[in-house]
Coordinates of all heavy atoms in Angstrom, one line a residue:
D187 N -21.8 -32.9 -18.8 CA -21.6 -33.9 -17.7 C -21.6 -33.3 -16.3 O -21.2 -34.0 -15.4 CB -20.3 -34.7 -18.0 CG -20.3 -35.4 -19.3 OD1 -21.4 -35.9 -19.8 OD2 -19.2 -35.4 -20.0
I188 N -22.0 -32.1 -16.2 CA -21.9 -31.4 -14.8 C -23.3 -30.9 -14.5 O -24.0 -30.3 -15.2 CB -20.9 -30.3 -14.8 CG1 -19.5 -30.9 -15.1 CG2 -20.9 -29.5 -13.5 CD1 -18.4 -29.8 -15.1
E189 N -23.7 -31.1 -13.2 CA -25.0 -30.7 -12.7 C -24.9 -29.3 -12.1 O -23.8 -28.9 -11.7 CB -25.5 -31.7 -11.6 CG -25.7 -33.1 -12.1 CD -27.0 -33.2 -13.0 OE1 -27.9 -32.4 -12.8 OE2 -27.0 -34.1 -13.9
L190 N -26.0 -28.6 -12.1 CA -26.1 -27.3 -11.6 C -25.6 -27.2 -10.1 O -24.8 -26.3 -9.7 CB -27.5 -26.7 -11.6 CG -27.7 -25.3 -11.0 CD1 -26.8 -24.2 -11.7 CD2 -29.2 -24.9 -11.0
V191 N -25.9 -28.2 -9.3 CA -25.6 -28.2 -7.9 C -24.0 -28.2 -7.8 O -23.5 -27.6 -6.9 CB -26.2 -29.4 -7.1 CG1 -25.7 -30.8 -7.8 CG2 -25.9 -29.3 -5.7
E192 N -23.4 -28.9 -8.7 CA -21.9 -28.8 -8.6 C -21.3 -27.5 -9.0 O -20.3 -27.0 -8.4 CB -21.4 -29.9 -9.6 CG -19.9 -30.1 -9.5 CD -19.3 -31.3 -10.3 OE1 -20.1 -32.0 -10.9 OE2 -18.1 -31.6 -10.2
L193 N -21.9 -26.9 -10.1 CA -21.5 -25.5 -10.4 C -21.6 -24.5 -9.3 O -20.8 -23.6 -9.1 CB -22.2 -25.0 -11.6 CG -21.9 -25.7 -13.0 CD1 -22.7 -25.0 -14.1 CD2 -20.5 -25.8 -13.3
Q194 N -22.7 -24.7 -8.5 CA -22.9 -23.8 -7.4 C -22.1 -24.1 -6.2 O -22.1 -23.3 -5.3 CB -24.5 -23.8 -7.1 CG -25.3 -23.3 -8.2 CD -26.8 -23.3 -7.8 OE1 -27.3 -24.3 -7.3 NE2 -27.6 -22.3 -8.1
S195 N -21.5 -25.2 -6.2 CA -20.7 -25.6 -5.0 C -19.2 -25.2 -5.1 O -18.5 -25.3 -4.1 CB -20.8 -27.1 -4.8 OG -20.1 -27.8 -5.8
V196 N -18.8 -24.7 -6.2 CA -17.3 -24.4 -6.4 C -17.2 -22.8 -6.4 O -18.1 -22.1 -6.5 CB -16.8 -24.9 -7.7 CG1 -16.9 -26.5 -7.7 CG2 -17.4 -24.3 -8.9
S197 N -16.0 -22.3 -6.3 CA -15.6 -21.0 -6.3 C -15.4 -20.5 -7.7 O -14.7 -21.2 -8.5 CB -14.4 -20.7 -5.5 OG -14.5 -21.1 -4.2
W198 N -15.9 -19.3 -8.0 CA -15.9 -18.7 -9.4 C -15.4 -17.3 -9.4 O -15.5 -16.6 -8.4 CB -17.3 -18.8 -10.0 CG -17.8 -20.1 -10.3 CD1 -18.6 -20.9 -9.5 CD2 -17.7 -20.8 -11.5 NE1 -18.9 -22.1 -10.1 CE2 -18.3 -22.1 -11.4 CE3 -17.0 -20.6 -12.7 CZ2 -18.4 -23.0 -12.4 CZ3 -17.0 -21.5 -13.7 CH2 -17.7 -22.7 -13.6
I199 N -14.8 -17.0 -10.5 CA -14.4 -15.6 -10.8 C -14.7 -15.3 -12.3 O -14.6 -16.1 -13.1 CB -12.9 -15.4 -10.5 CG1 -12.6 -13.9 -10.6 CG2 -12.0 -16.2 -11.4 CD1 -11.2 -13.5 -10.1
A200 N -15.2 -14.1 -12.5 CA -15.4 -13.6 -13.9 C -14.5 -12.4 -14.2 O -14.2 -11.6 -13.4 CB -16.9 -13.2 -14.0
F201 N -14.0 -12.5 -15.5 CA -13.0 -11.4 -15.8 C -13.0 -11.3 -17.3 O -13.4 -12.2 -18.1 CB -11.6 -11.8 -15.3 CG -11.1 -13.0 -15.9 CD1 -10.1 -13.0 -16.9 CD2 -11.4 -14.2 -15.3 CE1 -9.6 -14.2 -17.4 CE2 -10.9 -15.4 -15.8 CZ -10.0 -15.4 -16.9
P202 N -12.5 -10.1 -17.9 CA -12.5 -10.0 -19.3 C -11.2 -10.4 -20.0 O -10.1 -10.3 -19.3 CB -12.6 -8.4 -19.4 CG -11.9 -7.9 -18.2 CD -12.2 -8.9 -17.2
I203 N -11.3 -10.9 -21.1 CA -10.1 -11.2 -21.9 C -10.2 -10.4 -23.3 O -11.4 -10.3 -23.8 CB -9.9 -12.7 -22.2 CG1 -11.0 -13.4 -22.9 CG2 -9.5 -13.4 -20.9 CD1 -10.8 -14.7 -23.4
A204 N -9.1 -10.0 -23.8 CA -9.1 -9.2 -25.0 C -8.8 -10.2 -26.2 O -7.7 -10.8 -26.1 CB -8.2 -8.0 -25.0
V205 N -9.6 -10.2 -27.2 CA -9.3 -11.1 -28.4 C -9.6 -10.3 -29.6 O -10.2 -9.2 -29.6 CB -10.2 -12.3 -28.4 CG1 -9.9 -13.2 -27.2 CG2 -11.7 -12.0 -28.5
V206 N -9.0 -10.6 -30.7 CA -9.1 -10.0 -32.0 C -9.9 -10.9 -32.9 O -9.4 -12.0 -33.2 CB -7.8 -9.5 -32.6 CG1 -8.0 -8.9 -34.0 CG2 -7.1 -8.4 -31.7
K207 N -11.0 -10.4 -33.4 CA -11.8 -11.2 -34.3 C -12.1 -10.4 -35.6 O -12.6 -9.2 -35.4 CB -13.2 -11.6 -33.7 CG -13.0 -12.7 -32.6 CD -14.3 -13.2 -32.1 CE -14.1 -14.3 -31.1 NZ -15.4 -14.9 -30.7
E208 N -11.8 -10.8 -36.7 CA -12.0 -10.1 -37.9 C -11.4 -8.7 -37.9 O -12.1 -7.7 -38.2 CB -13.6 -10.1 -38.3 CG -14.2 -11.4 -38.5 CD -15.7 -11.3 -38.7 OE1 -16.2 -10.2 -38.6 OE2 -16.3 -12.3 -38.9
R209 N -10.1 -8.6 -37.4 CA -9.3 -7.4 -37.3 C -9.9 -6.4 -36.3 O -9.4 -5.3 -36.3 CB -9.3 -6.8 -38.7 CG -8.6 -7.7 -39.7 CD -8.5 -6.9 -41.1 NE -7.9 -7.7 -42.1 CZ -7.7 -7.4 -43.4 NH1 -8.0 -6.1 -43.8 NH2 -7.2 -8.1 -44.3
R210 N -10.8 -6.8 -35.4 CA -11.3 -5.9 -34.5 C -11.2 -6.6 -33.1 O -11.5 -7.7 -32.9 CB -12.8 -5.6 -34.8 CG -13.4 -4.5 -33.9 CD -14.8 -4.2 -34.4 NE -15.7 -5.3 -34.3 CZ -16.5 -5.5 -33.3 NH1 -16.4 -4.7 -32.2 NH2 -17.3 -6.5 -33.2
A211 N -10.8 -5.8 -32.1 CA -10.6 -6.2 -30.8 C -11.9 -6.2 -30.0 O -12.7 -5.2 -30.2 CB -9.6 -5.4 -30.0
V212 N -12.2 -7.3 -29.3 CA -13.5 -7.4 -28.5 C -13.1 -8.0 -27.2 O -12.1 -8.7 -27.0 CB -14.5 -8.2 -29.2 CG1 -15.0 -7.6 -30.6 CG2 -14.0 -9.6 -29.5
K213 N -14.0 -7.7 -26.2 CA -13.9 -8.2 -24.9 C -14.8 -9.5 -24.8 O -15.9 -9.5 -25.2 CB -14.3 -7.3 -23.9 CG -13.2 -6.4 -23.4 CD -13.7 -5.5 -22.2 CE -12.8 -4.3 -21.9 NZ -13.3 -3.5 -20.8
I214 N -14.3 -10.5 -24.2 CA -15.1 -11.7 -23.9 C -14.9 -11.9 -22.4 O -13.9 -11.8 -21.8 CB -14.6 -12.9 -24.6 CG1 -14.8 -12.8 -26.1 CG2 -15.3 -14.2 -24.1 CD1 -14.3 -13.9 -26.9
T215 N -16.1 -12.2 -21.7 CA -16.1 -12.5 -20.3 C -15.9 -13.9 -20.1 O -16.6 -14.8 -20.6 CB -17.5 -12.1 -19.6 OG1 -17.6 -10.7 -19.7 CG2 -17.4 -12.5 -18.2
L216 N -14.7 -14.2 -19.4 CA -14.4 -15.6 -19.2 C -14.7 -15.9 -17.6 O -14.5 -15.1 -16.8 CB -12.9 -15.8 -19.4 CG -12.3 -17.2 -19.5 CD1 -12.9 -17.9 -20.8 CD2 -10.8 -17.2 -19.6
L217 N -15.3 -17.1 -17.4 CA -15.6 -17.6 -16.0 C -14.7 -18.8 -15.7 O -14.8 -19.8 -16.5 CB -17.1 -17.9 -15.9 CG -18.0 -16.6 -15.9 CD1 -18.6 -16.6 -17.3 CD2 -19.0 -16.6 -14.8
L218 N -14.1 -18.7 -14.6 CA -13.3 -19.8 -14.1 C -13.7 -20.3 -12.8 O -14.0 -19.5 -11.9 CB -11.7 -19.4 -14.0 CG -11.1 -19.0 -15.2 CD1 -9.6 -18.6 -14.9 CD2 -11.2 -19.9 -16.4
G219 N -13.8 -21.6 -12.6 CA -14.2 -22.2 -11.4 C -13.2 -23.2 -10.9 O -12.7 -24.1 -11.8
L220 N -12.9 -23.4 -9.6 CA -12.0 -24.3 -9.1 C -12.7 -25.4 -8.2 O -13.5 -24.9 -7.3 CB -10.8 -23.7 -8.3 CG -9.8 -22.9 -9.1 CD1 -8.8 -22.3 -8.1 CD2 -9.1 -23.8 -10.0
K221 N -12.5 -26.6 -8.5 CA -13.1 -27.6 -7.6 C -12.0 -28.7 -7.4 O -11.0 -28.8 -8.1 CB -14.3 -28.2 -8.2 CG -14.1 -29.1 -9.4 CD -15.4 -29.6 -10.0 CE -15.3 -30.5 -11.1 NZ -14.8 -31.9 -10.6
T222 N -12.2 -29.5 -6.3 CA -11.3 -30.6 -6.0 C -11.2 -31.5 -7.3 O -12.2 -31.9 -7.8 CB -11.7 -31.4 -4.8 OG1 -11.8 -30.4 -3.7 CG2 -10.7 -32.4 -4.4
G223 N -10.0 -31.9 -7.7 CA -9.8 -32.8 -8.8 C -8.4 -33.2 -9.0 O -7.6 -33.2 -8.0
N224 N -8.1 -33.5 -10.2 CA -6.8 -34.2 -10.6 C -6.0 -33.3 -11.6 O -5.2 -33.8 -12.3 CB -7.0 -35.6 -11.1 CG -7.7 -36.4 -10.1 OD1 -7.3 -36.5 -9.0 ND2 -8.8 -37.1 -10.6
G225 N -6.3 -32.0 -11.6 CA -5.5 -31.1 -12.5 C -6.0 -31.1 -13.9 O -5.3 -30.6 -14.8
K226 N -7.3 -31.4 -14.1 CA -8.0 -31.3 -15.4 C -8.5 -30.0 -15.7 O -8.8 -29.2 -14.9 CB -9.1 -32.3 -15.6 CG -8.7 -33.8 -15.5 CD -9.9 -34.7 -15.8 CE -10.9 -34.6 -14.7 NZ -12.1 -35.5 -14.9
C227 N -8.5 -29.6 -17.0 CA -9.1 -28.4 -17.5 C -10.3 -28.7 -18.3 O -10.3 -29.3 -19.3 CB -8.1 -27.6 -18.3 SG -8.7 -26.0 -18.9
I228 N -11.5 -28.4 -17.7 CA -12.8 -28.8 -18.3 C -13.4 -27.5 -18.9 O -13.8 -26.6 -18.2 CB -13.8 -29.4 -17.3 CG1 -13.1 -30.5 -16.5 CG2 -15.1 -29.8 -17.9 CD1 -13.8 -31.0 -15.3
V229 N -13.4 -27.5 -20.2 CA -13.9 -26.3 -20.9 C -15.3 -26.5 -21.5 O -15.7 -27.6 -21.6 CB -12.9 -25.9 -22.1 CG1 -11.6 -25.5 -21.5 CG2 -12.8 -27.0 -23.2
Q230 N -16.0 -25.4 -21.7 CA -17.4 -25.5 -22.2 C -17.5 -26.3 -23.5 O -16.6 -26.4 -24.3 CB -17.9 -24.0 -22.5 CG -17.2 -23.3 -23.5 CD -17.6 -21.9 -23.6 OE1 -18.2 -21.3 -22.8 NE2 -17.1 -21.2 -24.7
N231 N -18.7 -26.7 -23.7 CA -19.0 -27.5 -24.9 C -19.1 -26.6 -26.2 O -18.4 -26.9 -27.3 CB -20.3 -28.2 -24.8 CG -20.7 -29.2 -25.9 OD1 -19.8 -29.8 -26.5 ND2 -21.9 -29.3 -26.3
R232 N -19.8 -25.5 -26.0 CA -19.9 -24.6 -27.2 C -19.9 -23.1 -26.7 O -20.6 -22.9 -25.6 CB -21.2 -24.8 -27.9 CG -21.2 -26.1 -28.7 CD -22.5 -26.2 -29.5 NE -23.6 -26.5 -28.6 CZ -24.9 -26.7 -29.1 NH1 -25.1 -26.7 -30.3 NH2 -25.9 -26.8 -28.2
P233 N -19.3 -22.1 -27.3 CA -18.3 -22.3 -28.4 C -17.1 -22.9 -27.9 O -16.7 -22.8 -26.7 CB -18.1 -20.9 -28.9 CG -18.4 -20.0 -27.7 CD -19.5 -20.7 -27.0
Q234 N -16.3 -23.6 -28.7 CA -15.2 -24.3 -28.3 C -14.0 -23.4 -28.0 O -14.0 -22.2 -28.4 CB -14.8 -25.4 -29.3 CG -15.9 -26.4 -29.5 CD -15.5 -27.4 -30.6 OE1 -14.6 -27.2 -31.4 NE2 -16.2 -28.5 -30.7
F235 N -13.0 -24.0 -27.4 CA -11.6 -23.3 -27.2 C -10.7 -24.1 -28.2 O -10.7 -25.2 -28.3 CB -11.1 -23.4 -25.8 CG -11.8 -22.4 -24.9 CD1 -13.1 -22.6 -24.5 CD2 -11.1 -21.3 -24.5 CE1 -13.7 -21.7 -23.6 CE2 -11.7 -20.4 -23.6 CZ -13.0 -20.6 -23.2
S236 N -9.8 -23.3 -28.8 CA -8.8 -23.8 -29.7 C -7.7 -24.6 -28.8 O -7.6 -24.5 -27.5 CB -8.1 -22.8 -30.5 OG -7.3 -22.0 -29.6
K237 N -6.9 -25.5 -29.5 CA -5.9 -26.2 -28.8 C -4.9 -25.2 -28.0 O -4.5 -25.5 -26.9 CB -5.2 -27.1 -29.8 CG -4.1 -27.9 -29.2 CD -3.3 -28.8 -30.2 CE -2.2 -29.6 -29.5 NZ -1.5 -30.4 -30.5
S238 N -4.6 -24.2 -28.7 CA -3.6 -23.2 -28.1 C -4.2 -22.6 -26.8 O -3.5 -22.5 -25.8 CB -3.2 -22.1 -29.1 OG -4.4 -21.4 -29.6
S239 N -5.5 -22.3 -26.8 CA -6.1 -21.7 -25.7 C -6.2 -22.7 -24.5 O -6.0 -22.4 -23.4 CB -7.4 -21.1 -26.0 OG -7.3 -20.0 -26.9
R240 N -6.5 -24.0 -24.9 CA -6.6 -25.0 -23.9 C -5.2 -25.2 -23.2 O -5.2 -25.4 -22.0 CB -7.1 -26.3 -24.5 CG -8.5 -26.3 -24.9 CD -8.9 -27.6 -25.7 NE -10.3 -27.7 -26.0 CZ -11.2 -28.4 -25.3 NH1 -10.8 -29.1 -24.3 NH2 -12.4 -28.5 -25.7
E241 N -4.2 -25.2 -24.0 CA -2.8 -25.4 -23.5 C -2.5 -24.3 -22.5 O -1.9 -24.5 -21.5 CB -1.9 -25.5 -24.6 CG -2.0 -26.8 -25.5 CD -1.1 -26.7 -26.7 OE1 -0.5 -25.6 -27.0 OE2 -0.9 -27.8 -27.3
S242 N -2.9 -23.1 -22.9 CA -2.6 -21.9 -22.1 C -3.4 -22.0 -20.7 O -2.8 -21.7 -19.7 CB -3.0 -20.6 -22.7 OG -2.1 -20.4 -23.9
L243 N -4.6 -22.5 -20.7 CA -5.3 -22.6 -19.5 C -4.8 -23.8 -18.6 O -4.8 -23.6 -17.4 CB -6.8 -22.9 -19.8 CG -7.6 -21.8 -20.5 CD1 -8.9 -22.3 -21.1 CD2 -7.9 -20.7 -19.4
E244 N -4.3 -24.8 -19.2 CA -3.8 -25.9 -18.5 C -2.6 -25.6 -17.7 O -2.3 -26.2 -16.7 CB -3.5 -27.1 -19.4 CG -4.8 -27.8 -20.0 CD -4.4 -28.7 -21.1 OE1 -3.2 -28.8 -21.5 OE2 -5.4 -29.4 -21.6
L245 N -1.8 -24.6 -18.1 CA -0.6 -24.2 -17.4 C -0.9 -23.7 -16.0 O 0.0 -23.8 -15.1 CB 0.1 -23.1 -18.1 CG 0.9 -23.5 -19.4 CD1 1.4 -22.2 -20.1 CD2 2.1 -24.4 -19.0
S246 N -2.1 -23.1 -15.8 CA -2.4 -22.5 -14.5 C -3.3 -23.3 -13.6 O -3.6 -22.8 -12.5 CB -3.1 -21.1 -14.7 OG -2.3 -20.3 -15.6
V247 N -3.6 -24.5 -14.0 CA -4.4 -25.4 -13.1 C -3.7 -25.7 -11.8 O -2.6 -26.4 -11.9 CB -4.9 -26.6 -13.8 CG1 -5.8 -27.4 -12.9 CG2 -5.7 -26.3 -15.1
P248 N -4.1 -25.4 -10.6 CA -3.4 -25.8 -9.4 C -3.4 -27.2 -9.1 O -4.4 -27.9 -9.5 CB -4.1 -24.9 -8.3 CG -5.0 -23.9 -9.0 CD -5.3 -24.6 -10.4
D249 N -2.4 -27.7 -8.4 CA -2.4 -29.0 -8.0 C -3.6 -29.4 -7.1 O -4.0 -28.7 -6.3 CB -1.1 -29.4 -7.2 CG 0.1 -29.2 -8.0 OD1 0.0 -29.4 -9.3 OD2 1.2 -29.0 -7.5
G250 N -4.2 -30.6 -7.4 CA -5.3 -31.1 -6.6 C -6.6 -30.4 -7.0 O -7.6 -30.5 -6.2
K251 N -6.7 -29.7 -8.1 CA -7.9 -29.0 -8.5 C -8.1 -29.3 -9.9 O -7.3 -29.7 -10.7 CB -7.7 -27.5 -8.3 CG -7.4 -27.0 -6.9 CD -8.6 -27.0 -6.1 CE -8.4 -26.4 -4.7 NZ -9.6 -26.5 -3.9
D252 N -9.5 -29.1 -10.2 CA -9.9 -29.1 -11.6 C -10.3 -27.7 -12.0 O -10.9 -27.0 -11.1 CB -11.1 -30.1 -11.9 CG -10.6 -31.5 -12.0 OD1 -9.4 -31.7 -12.2 OD2 -11.5 -32.5 -11.9
L253 N -10.1 -27.3 -13.2 CA -10.5 -26.0 -13.6 C -11.7 -26.0 -14.6 O -11.6 -26.7 -15.6 CB -9.3 -25.3 -14.3 CG -9.5 -23.8 -14.8 CD1 -9.8 -22.9 -13.6 CD2 -8.3 -23.4 -15.6
L254 N -12.8 -25.3 -14.3 CA -13.9 -25.3 -15.1 C -13.9 -23.9 -15.9 O -13.7 -22.9 -15.2 CB -15.3 -25.3 -14.3 CG -15.4 -26.6 -13.5 CD1 -16.8 -26.5 -12.6 CD2 -15.5 -27.8 -14.4
V255 N -14.1 -24.0 -17.2 CA -14.0 -22.8 -18.0 C -15.1 -22.6 -19.0 O -15.5 -23.5 -19.7 CB -12.6 -22.8 -18.8 CG1 -12.4 -21.5 -19.6 CG2 -11.4 -23.2 -18.0
W256 N -15.8 -21.4 -18.9 CA -16.8 -21.1 -19.9 C -16.9 -19.6 -20.1 O -16.3 -18.9 -19.4 CB -18.1 -21.7 -19.5 CG -18.7 -21.3 -18.2 CD1 -18.2 -21.6 -16.9 CD2 -19.9 -20.5 -18.0 NE1 -19.0 -20.9 -16.0 CE2 -20.0 -20.3 -16.6 CE3 -20.8 -19.9 -18.9 CZ2 -21.1 -19.6 -16.1 CZ3 -21.8 -19.2 -18.3 CH2 -22.0 -19.0 -17.0
T257 N -17.7 -19.2 -21.1 CA -17.7 -17.8 -21.5 C -19.1 -17.3 -21.6 O -20.1 -18.1 -21.8 CB -17.0 -17.5 -22.8 OG1 -17.6 -18.3 -23.8 CG2 -15.5 -17.9 -22.8
L258 N -19.3 -16.0 -21.5 CA -20.6 -15.4 -21.8 C -20.6 -15.0 -23.3 O -20.4 -13.8 -23.6 CB -20.8 -14.1 -20.9 CG -20.9 -14.4 -19.4 CD1 -21.2 -13.1 -18.6 CD2 -21.9 -15.5 -19.1
Q259 N -20.9 -16.0 -24.2 CA -20.9 -15.8 -25.6 C -22.1 -16.5 -26.2 O -22.7 -17.3 -25.6 CB -19.6 -16.4 -26.3 CG -18.3 -15.7 -26.0 CD -17.2 -16.4 -26.6 OE1 -16.6 -17.4 -26.1 NE2 -16.9 -16.0 -27.9
Y260 N -22.4 -16.2 -27.5 CA -23.3 -17.0 -28.2 C -22.7 -18.4 -28.4 O -21.5 -18.5 -28.6 CB -23.6 -16.4 -29.7 CG -24.3 -15.1 -29.6 CD1 -23.7 -13.9 -30.2 CD2 -25.5 -14.9 -29.1 CE1 -24.3 -12.7 -30.2 CE2 -26.2 -13.7 -29.0 CZ -25.7 -12.6 -29.6 OH -26.3 -11.4 -29.6
E261 N -23.6 -19.4 -28.4 CA -23.0 -20.7 -28.6 C -22.5 -20.9 -30.0 O -21.6 -21.8 -30.3 CB -24.2 -21.8 -28.4 CG -24.6 -21.8 -27.0 CD -25.7 -22.8 -26.7 OE1 -25.9 -23.7 -27.6 OE2 -26.4 -22.8 -25.6
S262 N -22.9 -20.0 -31.0 CA -22.5 -20.2 -32.4 C -21.3 -19.4 -32.7 O -20.8 -19.4 -33.8 CB -23.6 -19.7 -33.2 OG -24.0 -18.4 -33.0
D263 N -20.7 -18.6 -31.7 CA -19.5 -17.8 -31.9 C -18.3 -18.7 -32.2 O -18.3 -19.9 -31.9 CB -19.2 -17.1 -30.6 CG -20.0 -15.7 -30.5 OD1 -20.6 -15.4 -31.5 OD2 -20.0 -15.1 -29.5
S264 N -17.4 -18.1 -32.9 CA -16.2 -18.8 -33.3 C -15.3 -19.2 -32.1 O -15.5 -18.5 -31.0 CB -15.3 -17.9 -34.3 OG -15.0 -16.7 -33.7
P265 N -14.5 -20.2 -32.1 CA -13.7 -20.6 -31.0 C -12.8 -19.5 -30.4 O -12.3 -18.6 -31.3 CB -12.9 -21.8 -31.6 CG -13.6 -22.3 -32.7 CD -14.3 -21.0 -33.3
V266 N -12.5 -19.6 -29.2 CA -11.5 -18.7 -28.6 C -10.1 -19.3 -28.9 O -9.9 -20.4 -28.7 CB -11.7 -18.6 -27.1 CG1 -10.6 -17.7 -26.4 CG2 -13.1 -18.1 -26.7
T267 N -9.3 -18.4 -29.5 CA -8.0 -19.0 -30.0 C -6.8 -18.1 -29.4 O -7.0 -17.0 -28.9 CB -7.9 -18.9 -31.5 OG1 -8.0 -17.5 -31.9 CG2 -9.0 -19.7 -32.2
G268 N -5.7 -18.8 -29.5 CA -4.4 -18.1 -29.1 C -4.0 -18.3 -27.6 O -4.7 -18.8 -26.8
H269 N -2.7 -17.8 -27.4 CA -2.2 -18.0 -26.1 C -2.3 -16.8 -25.2 O -1.9 -16.9 -24.0 CB -0.6 -18.4 -26.2 CG -0.4 -19.7 -26.9 ND1 -0.5 -20.9 -26.2 CD2 0.1 -19.9 -28.1 CE1 -0.2 -21.8 -27.0 NE2 0.1 -21.3 -28.2
S270 N -2.9 -15.7 -25.7 CA -2.9 -14.5 -24.9 C -3.8 -14.5 -23.7 O -3.6 -13.6 -22.9 CB -3.3 -13.3 -25.9 OG -4.6 -13.5 -26.3
L271 N -4.6 -15.5 -23.6 CA -5.4 -15.5 -22.3 C -4.7 -16.2 -21.2 O -5.3 -16.3 -20.0 CB -6.8 -16.3 -22.6 CG -6.7 -17.7 -23.2 CD1 -6.3 -18.7 -22.1 CD2 -8.1 -18.1 -23.6
A272 N -3.5 -16.6 -21.4 CA -2.8 -17.3 -20.3 C -2.5 -16.4 -19.1 O -2.7 -16.8 -18.0 CB -1.5 -17.8 -20.9
L273 N -2.0 -15.2 -19.4 CA -1.7 -14.2 -18.3 C -3.0 -13.8 -17.5 O -3.0 -13.9 -16.3 CB -1.0 -12.9 -18.8 CG -0.7 -11.9 -17.8 CD1 0.1 -12.4 -16.6 CD2 -0.1 -10.6 -18.4
P274 N -4.1 -13.3 -18.1 CA -5.2 -13.0 -17.3 C -5.9 -14.2 -16.6 O -6.3 -14.1 -15.4 CB -6.2 -12.4 -18.3 CG -5.8 -12.9 -19.7 CD -4.3 -13.0 -19.6
S275 N -5.8 -15.4 -17.2 CA -6.3 -16.6 -16.5 C -5.5 -16.9 -15.3 O -6.0 -17.2 -14.3 CB -6.3 -17.7 -17.5 OG -7.2 -17.5 -18.6
A276 N -4.2 -16.9 -15.4 CA -3.4 -17.1 -14.3 C -3.6 -16.1 -13.1 O -3.6 -16.5 -11.9 CB -1.8 -17.1 -14.7
L277 N -3.7 -14.8 -13.5 CA -4.0 -13.8 -12.5 C -5.4 -14.1 -11.8 O -5.5 -14.1 -10.6 CB -4.1 -12.4 -13.2 CG -2.8 -11.7 -13.5 CD1 -3.1 -10.5 -14.3 CD2 -2.1 -11.4 -12.2

Side-chain angles (χ1 to χ4, degrees):
D187 301 321
I188 297 179
E189 297 290 330
L190 175 63
V191 63
E192 186 173 5
L193 291 186
Q194 291 179 317
S195 67
V196 302
S197 301
W198 289 91
I199 188 170
F201 61 99
I203 60 172
V205 300
V206 175
K207 292 186 176 184
E208 298 177 355
R209 300 183 181 180
R210 185 171 66 90
V212 296
K213 275 185 191 177
I214 294 177
T215 296
L216 199 64
L217 292 102
L218 300 183
L220 286 179
K221 70 182 187 72
T222 302
N224 302 308
K226 294 188 296 184
C227 182
I228 305 170
V229 298
Q230 66 188 8
N231 186 34
R232 291 183 292 181
Q234 297 179 345
F235 281 74
S236 70
K237 181 181 178 181
S238 60
S239 291
R240 286 171 179 263
E241 290 173 347
S242 295
L243 291 165
E244 289 168 356
L245 283 174
S246 302
V247 181
D249 293 337
K251 298 287 185 180
D252 282 345
L253 182 65
L254 302 176
V255 186
W256 60 291
T257 60
L258 297 185
Q259 289 179 277
Y260 294 122
E261 293 180 14
S262 59
D263 277 350
S264 57
V266 176
T267 62
H269 294 285
S270 64
L271 57 71
L273 175 60
S275 298
L277 281 172

